Amino acid sequence: VLFYLAIAKGFEPLLLLPIAFGGLLANIPLAGIGGEHGMLGIIYNMGIANEFFPLLIFMGVGVMTDFGPLLANPKTAILGGAAQFGIFGSLVGATMIGFDLQTASAISIIGGADGPTSIFIANKLAPEMLGTIAVAAYSYMALVPVIQPPIMKALTTEKERKMKMPPLRKVHKLEKLFLPILILMMAILILPESTPLIGAFAFGNFAKQSGVVDRLSDTMQNSLINIVTIFLGLGVGSKLAADKFLVLDTLGIMLIGLLAFSVGTAAGVLMAKLMNKFSSEKTKVNPLIGAAGVSAVPMSARVVSKVGQEYDKSNILLMHA
């Protein structure tokens, strides 16, 4: 199924293909490829068990992120916050059906639709569930073009979908330079446990915005992130051995993950509609961009743009999303 999604459908092939092949290798009998001393086991211990690969991925994501549109229209940050309702809703649901709190927390993070974060959290709270959680997170990231549009269309009117947002103001370079430092300071003060991920992200973004280390920025967002993606995919695939993956819990995790992702998408759209109730005509936001509150970067933003242009070809929502 993962091969089919990657090759025939083109859904996140850079991740799904190595994960699928890693799963194939892990299930070869007697070879021990996924074991402690097998190739996949070595890759897993080298960068997933010690949480190193997600940090490197976040460094690359930091370089690839442009905070200009957010700085130009800061209230859109609220939409990112609203989309996290999916995580907390599914946390409650997972505990109600019998998962303990730590496992439920690891499962519900799938609602953020962010692979490296899912791996980081699962490794801390429920390492035995890592393969299933990672596959669910990356599968739903890949299925964004399938899952999100029906939810977006169900919660908005045609008039709302056609809403155009005004051009954004030009953001000063100093604003872009200070933001990653500010984000890191807030993380240190409010949630220090998050600073490994946030710190790697902030470093990547700061390096890009400084404009003086183009070679390093280029390496982080291209060759480094590509190498790590290969290892990350194979390492996650090593946890797809049939005796651990093909169990009833897996189905529960996939269903909770889908629910979390769907609720997150809906919450982002509904928050945008609520914000518009208290906004002037000039400052209203197109509710579709709320769907990009989930962290499926950059897939969800592209989906928002595509859905908007279905109703008005001249409506450019990509940078807002």
Side-chain angles (χ1 to χ4, degrees), residues 191-265:
L191 197 65
E193 294 93 335
S194 72
T195 47
L197 278 177
I198 299 295
F201 180 85
F203 168 62
N205 194 253
F206 190 79
K208 174 195 178 176
Q209 301 303 344
S210 71
V212 294
V213 285
D214 288 344
R215 279 169 55 193
L216 299 186
S217 299
D218 182 65
T219 299
M220 281 189 273
Q221 69 181 306
N222 290 302
S223 48
L224 179 63
I225 207 168
N226 287 338
I227 291 165
V228 175
T229 299
I230 294 168
F231 286 144
L232 186 73
L234 289 171
V236 169
S238 74
K239 293 295 170 187
L240 299 185
D243 59 331
K244 294 185 179 69
F245 186 71
L246 295 178
V247 293
L248 202 56
D249 279 357
T250 302
L251 186 61
I253 289 170
M254 298 298 276
L255 287 172
I256 293 166
L258 178 60
L259 178 70
F261 185 75
S262 302
V263 171
T265 300

Side-chain angles (χ1 to χ4, degrees), residues 31 38 57 63 69 96 124 142 145 152 164 193 275 283 288 309:
I57 294 273
V63 179
M96 283 171 68
K124 282 185 178 296
M152 293 155 69
K164 288 187 178 177
E193 294 93 335
M275 283 164 56
T283 59
L288 292 178
Q309 289 188 319

Side-chain angles (χ1 to χ4, degrees), residues 28-51:
I28 296 173
L30 307 179
I33 300 174
E36 191 77 17
H37 303 294
M39 180 185 81
L40 298 183
I42 293 166
I43 290 172
Y44 178 83
N45 290 321
M46 177 174 78
I48 297 179
N50 60 13
E51 298 157 5

Side-chain angles (χ1 to χ4, degrees), residues 281-298:
E281 281 301 317
K282 283 185 179 178
T283 59
K284 283 185 176 180
V285 299
N286 186 313
L288 292 178
I289 71 167
V294 297
S295 302
V297 182

